[in-house]
C-alpha cells in the first residue's frame, strides 16, 4: 500500500473510530465540545506520531518477546510528558479532559498501530501512518463533538486553549430548542451509533456497486 | 536462556531509565508552572475574600475528618481560606470560605454550583451569604428554608472548615452546628375572613370541645387531582370563648412548603384567640399562605359549629 | 460505613464505568455476544482491577510519594497492570482452559482496558484511604460485569433480529447502550 493510500485509509476505510472501533472510551467521553475535541485530537496525534517514530526507529533492536512492555514504556512516557505540558500551559483543557489525558496510554489506537505498523515499517512510513490515523481519529472526534455541542447547547464556539480567548462563537439553534440529552452519555452513544451506521453504509455500498456492474 | 532473560531485563531497564530521565526533565520544567497555576486559579477569588492580603500560599490540610476540604490557602498575616467541596442536591458544590486570623468569617465565594435555579442557587445570593459572613467560627449558621438540601450541604462544608480552623488556632467551643431558620410571617388575616371548612367530628370534655375539622388548602383550591383538604385538631374552651390549641392531624398540601406552618411560633398565635371577636386575626407564614389560610377555614368551621 | 456503601452504590450504578464513564468499551463490543463469556470476562476484569489497584496503590504511597517520583505514576502503573494481566492469563490458563479459550485475544487486551488504569489512577486522584480503595476497586468491575451481562443478554436476542444492514453489529449495539445509559441515569436519585 503506498503512502498516500495508507494516509487516506486512516480517514474512511480504516477510520480508527468508526471502522475499527478503537479509542472509543475517549471519543465518547470527550466529545462534548469542539475545544475538547481539538485539544484531545492534537494530543493523540502528537503521541501517536512520536510513538510510531520512536518505536519504528527501535524496531531492529527491540527483542520480540518484550516488545509490548517496551512499547508501553515509550507510549506512557510520551503521554505523561503531554500531560505535564498540558497541565502547565493549557490548564483549562487539562481540567476539561481530566483523567482522559493519562488514559491516552491505553488508547487502543496507539498501541495497535505500534504493533501493527510501526514495528514493521520505516520511520517515515510510520510517521505518515501516525498522522493519517491520528487525523482520522481527530476528524471523527470533531464530528461527534460538533453534533453533540450544537444539539445540546445550540452554540458552536472555539477558544484558544493557551489563552482562553474566544476565537469564534455562533448560535445555530435557538436556546429553546436544544436537546440537553446530547451532552449526556445517552446522546453520546446515539450520535456515535448513527455516524457509525452511516460510515458502515458508505464502506459497504461501493462494493455492492462494483459487484452489480461486473 | 538466562542470558536472554538478562538481555531482556537490561534492555527494559535501559529504556525505562531513559524514559524516567526524560520525564524528570519535563517534570522539572513544568512543576513550578503548575504550582503557580494552582494558586492562580483561586487567586482572583482569594483576593476578593482577603482584599488587604498581598500574598497567598497553599497550605497543607491534615486531619480533615470530614473529607470535604479540598485545599487551603493562607493569606499572609490576614487569614486562611478553605476550598470545600460538598454534595448538593444534584451535583457537587465547590466554594471558598475565608476566615480571618481571629476567627471571623470574612468571605464566602461559591465557585461551582449546579443546583436548581431559583431554589438551590439561593445559596449564592445575599440571602444566604449575608447570614454567613460576619459570624465567627463558633456561631451556628442558618440553613435556607425551601432550599434545605443545598444550604444544609454548604453549612456542613463550612462547619468542616471551621472545625479544622478552630483546631489549628486552638479555638474551643465547637462550630455552632446548623441552625434552622426562623419562621417568616406574612400578612395578617382575620379568622373569619375565609370561607369555613367542615367539621368532621367533635368531642366534648367539660368546657373544652375538641373539633377535628378540615379546611381547603393549596392543592384543593388549585384543583389538583385527588387533592384533599388539610385536617386539624382544634380545641376551644366554650366557657372562656378562647382557642386552646390548634394542630395538624393531616397535612395534604405540598411537602416542604405546606408543612412550614407546623411550627411553635405559628400555632402559638391561635392560643388564647378570642372567638367572639370578629377582628381576631393571625399572621400567615410567608411562602405557605394557602396552607395557613386552610387552618383559618377549619377554625371558622369549628367556631361556627 | 455508610459512606463506603454510598461509594460502592455510586460506582456500580450511578457512575457506571461503561454507561456513564464510557470506559471498558473494547470488551463491551467484542465479548458481549453471549452471557457466559460476559461473566467470565467480568470475573477476569474484577480480579485484575482489584489486584492492580492494590499493587499500584501500594506502589504510589510507599515508593513514589516518599521519593517524590509522582510523575512516574503512569509508567509504573501501566507496567504493573501489564505484568498483573500476564500473571492472570497464566492463572486462568492453568485453572480453566475453557475460559482461557473463550476469552481468547480479549484476555491480554485487559491490559489496555481503560477501566483498569482508570481505577488505579482514580484511587490516587480521589485521595482514597485503604478501605475506600478496596471498595472502589471491587465496585467498578462489578458495575462493569453487570452491564456486560445485561448487554450480552440483549445482544443474544439482537443477533437473531432483523436489524437494518448498516446498523448490524456495532451500531445497533451502541443504540442499545444509549438506552441502557438512559435507564441507568435515572438511578441518579438513589443516593
Amino acid at each position: 500500500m503506498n503512502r498516500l493510500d495508507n494516509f487516506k485509509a486512516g480517514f474512511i476505510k480504516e477510520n480508527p473510530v468508526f471502522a475499527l472501533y478503537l479509542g472509543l472510551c475517549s471519543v465518547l467521553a470527550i466529545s462534548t465540545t469542539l475545544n475538547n475535541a481539538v485539544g484531545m485530537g492534537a494530543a493523540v496525534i502528537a503521541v501517536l506520531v512520536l510513538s510510531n517514530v520512536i518505536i519504528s526507529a527501535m524496531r531492529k533492536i527491540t527483542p520480540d518477546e518484550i516488545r509490548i512492555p517496551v512499547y508501553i514504556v515509550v507510549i506512557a512516557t510520551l503521554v505523561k510528558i503531554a500531560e505535564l505540558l498540558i497541565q502547565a500551559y493549557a490548564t483549562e483543557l487539562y481540567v476539561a479532559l481530566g483523567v482522559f489525558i493519562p488514559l491516552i496510554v491505553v488508547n487502543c489506537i496507539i498501541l495497535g498501530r505500534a504493533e501493527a505498523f510501526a514495528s514493521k515499517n520505516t520511520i517515515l512510513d510510520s510517521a505518515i501512518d501516525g498522522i493519517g490515523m491520528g487525523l482520522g481519529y481527530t476528524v471523527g472526534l470533531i464530528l461527534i463533538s460538533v453534533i453533540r455541542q450544537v444539539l445540546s447547547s445550540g452554540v458552536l464556539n472555539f477558544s484558544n486553549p493557551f489563552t482562553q480567548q474566544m476565537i469564534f462563537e455562533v448560535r445555530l439553534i435557538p436556546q429553546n430548542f436544544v436537546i440537553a440529552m446530547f451532552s449526556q452519555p445517552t446522546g453520546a452513544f446515539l450520535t456515535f451509533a448513527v455516524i457509525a451506521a452511516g460510515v458502515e453504509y458508505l464502506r459497504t455500498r461501493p462494493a455492492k456497486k462494483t459487484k452489480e456492474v461486473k | 536462556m538466562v542470558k536472554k532473560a538478562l538481555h531482556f531485563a537490561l534492555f527494559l531497564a535501559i529504556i525505562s531509565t531513559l524514559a524516567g530521565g526524560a520525564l524528570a526533565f519535563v517534570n522539572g520544567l513544568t512543576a513550578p508552572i503548575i504550582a503557580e497555576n494552582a494558586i492562580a486559579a483561586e487567586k482572583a477569588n482569594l483576593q476578593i475574600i482577603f482584599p488587604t492580603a498581598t500574598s497567598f500560599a497553599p497550605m497543607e490540610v491534615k486531619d480533615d475528618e470530614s473529607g470535604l476540604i479540598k485545599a487551603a490557602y493562607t493569606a499572609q498575616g490576614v487569614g486562611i481560606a478553605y476550598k470545600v467541596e460538598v454534595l448538593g442536591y444534584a451535583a457537587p458544590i465547590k466554594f471558598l470560605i475565608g476566615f480571618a486570623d481571629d476567627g471571623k468569617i470574612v468571605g464566602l465565594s461559591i465557585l461551582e454550583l449546579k443546583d436548581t435555579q431559583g431554589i438551590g442557587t439561593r445559596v449564592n445570593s445575599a440571602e444566604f451569604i449575608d447570614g454567613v459572613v460576619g459570624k465567627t467560627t463558633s456561631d451556628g449558621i442558618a440553613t435556607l428554608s425551601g432550599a434545605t438540601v443545598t444550604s444544609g450541604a454548604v453549612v456542613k462544608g463550612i462547619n468542616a472548615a471551621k472545625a479544622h480552623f478552630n483546631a489549628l488556632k486552638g479555638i474551643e467551643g465547637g462550630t455552632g452546628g446548623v441552625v434552622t431558620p426562623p419562621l417568616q410571617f406574612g400578612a395578617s388575616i382575620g379568622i373569619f375572613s375565609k370561607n369555613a371548612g367542615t367539621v368532621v367530628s367533635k368531642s366534648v370534655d367539660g368546657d373544652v370541645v375538641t373539633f377535628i375539622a378540615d379546611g381547603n388548602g393549596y392543592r384543593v383550591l388549585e384543583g389538583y387531582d385527588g387533592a384533599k383538604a388539610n385536617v386539624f385538631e382544634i380545641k376551644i374552651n366554650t366557657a372562656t370563648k378562647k382557642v386552646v390549641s390548634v394542630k395538624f392531624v393531616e397535612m395534604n398540601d405540598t411537602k416542604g412548603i405546606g408543612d412550614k406552618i407546623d411550627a411553635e411560633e405559628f400555632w402559638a398565635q391561635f392560643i388564647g384567640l378570642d372567638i367572639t371577636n370578629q377582628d381576631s386575626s393571625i399572621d400567615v407564614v410567608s411562602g405557605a399562605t394557602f396552607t395557613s389560610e386552610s387552618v383559618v377555614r377549619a377554625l371558622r368551621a369549628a367556631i361556627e359549629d | 460505613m455508610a459512606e463506603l456503601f454510598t461509594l460502592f452504590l455510586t460506582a456500580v450504578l450511578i457512575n457506571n464505568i461503561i454507561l456513564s464513564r464510557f470506559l471498558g468499551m473494547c470488551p463491551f463490543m467484542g465479548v458481549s455476544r453471549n452471557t457466559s463469556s460476559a461473566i467470565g470476562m467480568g470475573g477476569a476484569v474484577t480480579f485484575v482491577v482489584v489486584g492492580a489497584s492494590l499493587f499500584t496503590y501500594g506502589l504510589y504511597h510507599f515508593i513514589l510519594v516518599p521519593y517524590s517520583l509522582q510523575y512516574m505514576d503512569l509508567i509504573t502503573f501501566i507496567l504493573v497492570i501489564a505484568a498483573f494481566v500476564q500473571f492472570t492469563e497464566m492463572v486462568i490458563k492453568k485453572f480453566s482452559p475453557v475460559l482461557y479459550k473463550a476469552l481468547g485475544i480479549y484476555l491480554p487486551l485487559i491490559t489496555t482496558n481503560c477501566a483498569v488504569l482508570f481505577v488505579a489512577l482514580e484511587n490516587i486522584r480521589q485521595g482514597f484511604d485503604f478501605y475506600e480503595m478496596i471498595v472502589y476497586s471491587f465496585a467498578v468491575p462489578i458495575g462493569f460485569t453487570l452491564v456486560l451481562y445485561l448487554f450480552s443478554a440483549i445482544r443474544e436476542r439482537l443477533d437473531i433480529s432483523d436489524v437494518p444492514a448498516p446498523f448490524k453489529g456495532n451500531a445497533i449495539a451502541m443504540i442499545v447502550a444509549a438506552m441502557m445509559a438512559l435507564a441507568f441515569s435515572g438511578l441518579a436519585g438513589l443516593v
Side-chain angles (χ1 to χ4, degrees):
Chain A
M1 187 183 271
N2 71 40
R3 289 209 187 110
L4 192 59
D5 277 344
N6 193 30
F7 181 75
K8 283 202 301 192
F11 274 92
I12 301 232
K13 231 180 346 150
E14 283 184 27
N15 184 297
V17 174
F18 297 113
L20 304 178
Y21 300 103
L22 299 175
L24 292 183
C25 320
S26 53
V27 164
L28 291 167
I30 290 302
S31 54
T32 46
T33 67
L34 183 57
N35 262 86
N36 289 354
V38 171
M40 183 58 132
V44 168
I45 292 178
V47 172
L48 185 52
V49 172
L50 284 172
S51 79
N52 266 15
V53 163
I54 295 177
I55 289 172
S56 174
M58 289 191 346
R59 74 185 184 280
K60 302 241 167 78
I61 55 168
T62 309
D64 194 59
E65 290 86 332
I66 55 162
R67 69 184 191 287
I68 300 287
V70 170
Y71 299 163
I72 287 177
V73 171
V74 171
I75 297 173
T77 311
L78 288 168
V79 172
K80 190 67 188 180
I81 292 179
E83 184 187 352
L84 289 173
L85 289 172
I86 295 177
Q87 194 179 3
Y89 296 109
T91 317
E92 273 222 4
L93 188 65
Y94 179 77
V95 171
L97 295 179
V99 73
F100 286 94
I101 301 181
L103 282 180
I104 297 177
V105 173
V106 288
N107 186 320
C108 322
I109 302 178
I110 304 186
L111 194 61
R113 286 332 272 174
E115 167 76 353
F117 198 89
S119 57
K120 305 176 184 133
N121 288 280
T122 66
I123 299 182
L124 187 58
D125 283 342
S126 303
I128 294 179
D129 178 77
I131 299 178
M133 283 282 159
L135 277 177
Y137 169 85
T138 307
V139 165
L141 188 53
I142 290 181
L143 185 60
I144 299 185
S145 304
V146 166
I147 293 176
R148 285 181 73 191
Q149 185 177 10
V150 169
L151 284 176
S152 70
S153 72
V155 176
L156 186 64
N157 60 34
F158 186 73
S159 52
N160 185 321
F162 302 108
T163 62
Q164 271 84 60
Q165 227 183 342
M166 192 73 75
I167 294 181
F168 75 86
E169 182 168 20
V170 52
R171 175 162 283 282
L172 292 162
I173 299 182
Q175 184 64 37
N176 290 331
F177 291 96
V178 298
I179 308 173
M181 183 185 74
F182 281 92
S183 63
Q184 310 276 357
T186 308
F189 284 120
L190 264 179
T191 315
F192 184 89
V194 172
I195 298 179
V199 169
E200 183 67 20
Y201 179 70
L202 283 174
R203 271 167 29 118
T204 50
R205 192 188 48 165
K208 281 196 220 149
K209 248 194 180 159
T210 42
K211 261 195 183 158
E212 281 172 52
V213 169
K214 281 213 159 83
Chain B
M1 184 60 214
V2 175
K3 196 165 175 224
K4 239 189 172 183
L6 218 58
H7 173 71
F8 293 160
L10 195 62
F11 190 83
L12 263 177
I14 295 178
I15 297 284
S16 306
T17 317
L18 282 173
L23 266 180
F25 173 69
V26 177
N27 188 53
L29 273 180
T30 54
I33 302 181
I34 294 172
E36 180 56 43
N37 286 347
I39 307 188
E42 304 305 347
K43 209 164 182 182
N45 289 310
L46 287 172
Q47 200 70 66
I48 297 176
I49 294 183
F50 298 112
T52 54
T54 46
S55 71
F56 302 99
M59 183 180 90
E60 214 195 310
V61 176
K62 287 194 249 239
D63 312 318
D64 168 37
E65 282 159 9
S66 68
L68 299 172
I69 303 178
K70 297 298 163 190
Y73 308 89
T74 46
Q76 314 291 43
V78 180
I80 303 179
Y82 290 90
K83 185 171 173 195
V84 183
E85 184 177 326
V86 294
L87 189 63
Y89 184 76
I93 306 174
K94 293 190 187 147
F95 61 89
L96 273 177
I97 183 91
F99 305 115
D101 282 326
D102 64 6
K104 211 160 84 139
I105 303 181
V106 290
L108 170 63
S109 180
I110 307 280
L111 304 171
E112 211 180 279
L113 176 64
K114 293 183 195 147
D115 278 349
T116 326
Q117 191 62 35
I119 301 179
T121 52
R122 281 161 63 201
V123 293
N124 198 12
S125 65
E127 185 189 0
F128 182 71
I129 299 181
D130 285 350
V132 173
V133 176
K135 291 235 165 75
T136 72
T137 51
S138 308
D139 291 335
I141 298 177
T143 50
L144 293 173
S145 66
T148 24
V149 178
T150 310
S151 57
V154 175
V155 172
K156 189 166 140 204
I158 297 177
N159 284 346
K162 278 195 224 160
H164 189 272
F165 182 84
N166 287 346
L168 203 65
K169 298 280 182 182
I171 300 176
E172 307 277 308
T175 59
V178 178
V179 175
T180 33
L183 211 53
Q184 268 170 314
F185 287 102
S188 205
I189 54 171
I191 60 173
F192 293 102
S193 63
K194 300 284 160 192
N195 291 335
T198 37
V199 172
V200 174
S201 74
K202 177 172 150 183
S203 70
V204 184
D205 179 20
D207 287 330
V208 178
V209 184
T210 304
F211 294 89
I212 305 289
D214 68 30
N216 287 336
Y218 179 76
R219 289 179 65 87
V220 174
L221 293 170
E222 290 290 309
Y224 279 88
D225 246 346
K228 295 198 287 182
N230 295 318
V231 186
F232 304 94
E233 182 202 81
I234 302 167
K235 291 193 201 243
I236 300 183
N237 187 319
T238 46
T240 62
K241 301 275 189 239
K242 290 207 162 72
V243 177
V244 175
S245 72
V246 179
K247 63 179 206 248
F248 259 128
V249 169
E250 228 178 83
M251 205 293 286
N252 288 315
D253 276 341
T254 325
K255 259 189 154 54
I257 301 181
D259 40 29
K260 274 206 257 193
I261 72 169
D262 193 9
E264 274 292 330
E265 308 111 292
F266 180 73
W267 301 125
Q269 299 181 94
F270 291 91
I271 301 178
L273 262 187
D274 186 352
I275 63 171
T276 59
N277 186 347
Q278 289 293 323
D279 296 323
S280 288
S281 67
I282 55 118
D283 294 332
V284 301
V285 173
S286 94
T289 323
F290 282 104
T291 313
S292 311
E293 292 173 359
S294 72
V295 186
V296 167
R297 292 198 169 85
L299 178 61
R300 187 169 172 184
I303 295 174
E304 295 178 346
D305 188 280
Chain C
M1 200 52 220
E3 282 137 24
L4 288 177
F5 185 66
T6 308
L7 180 66
F8 181 82
L9 214 56
T10 313
V12 174
L13 293 176
I14 296 162
N15 288 333
N16 182 280
I17 189 85
I18 298 184
L19 297 177
S20 177
R21 295 198 192 270
F22 307 105
L23 299 172
M25 301 288 297
C26 309
F28 190 61
M29 290 293 143
V31 182
S32 57
R33 284 234 130 92
N34 65 67
T35 50
S36 51
S37 62
I39 299 275
M41 184 60 163
V45 170
T46 309
F47 183 70
V48 172
V49 169
V50 175
S53 288
L54 280 167
F55 278 109
T56 53
Y57 188 82
L59 179 67
Y60 189 81
H61 285 283
F62 293 121
I63 298 184
L64 292 184
V65 169
Y67 290 99
S68 295
L69 285 171
Q70 285 96 325
Y71 56 86
M72 292 294 283
D73 60 357
L74 205 51
I75 297 188
T76 50
F77 280 20
I78 192 72
L79 283 176
V80 166
I81 293 174
F84 198 77
V85 170
Q86 194 79 344
F87 170 70
T88 309
E89 226 185 303
M90 291 196 292
V91 166
I92 293 186
K93 198 173 184 181
K94 187 157 196 183
F95 287 104
S96 174
V98 181
L99 183 60
Y100 183 77
K101 255 225 170 71
L103 292 178
I105 186 76
Y106 290 99
L107 201 43
L109 272 184
I110 299 180
T111 310
T112 54
N113 186 325
C114 340
V116 185
L117 184 59
F118 173 77
V119 175
L121 289 172
E122 279 291 282
N123 287 332
I124 307 300
R125 282 164 62 104
Q126 301 282 2
F128 286 152
D129 62 33
F130 183 76
Y131 297 107
E132 288 171 328
M133 182 268 292
I134 296 283
V135 168
Y136 193 70
S137 38
F138 266 105
V140 170
I142 287 178
F144 173 83
T145 312
L146 174 69
V147 172
L148 201 61
Y149 178 75
L150 290 172
F151 197 69
S152 63
I154 296 176
R155 247 186 143 179
E156 275 181 2
R157 291 174 194 232
L158 215 53
D159 279 344
I160 50 177
S161 309
D162 188 21
V163 178
F167 278 89
K168 269 206 171 78
N170 285 309
I172 193 70
M174 279 290 178
I175 303 239
V176 174
M179 292 194 271
M180 286 178 78
L182 198 58
F184 268 69
S185 69
L187 293 169
L190 209 59
V191 279

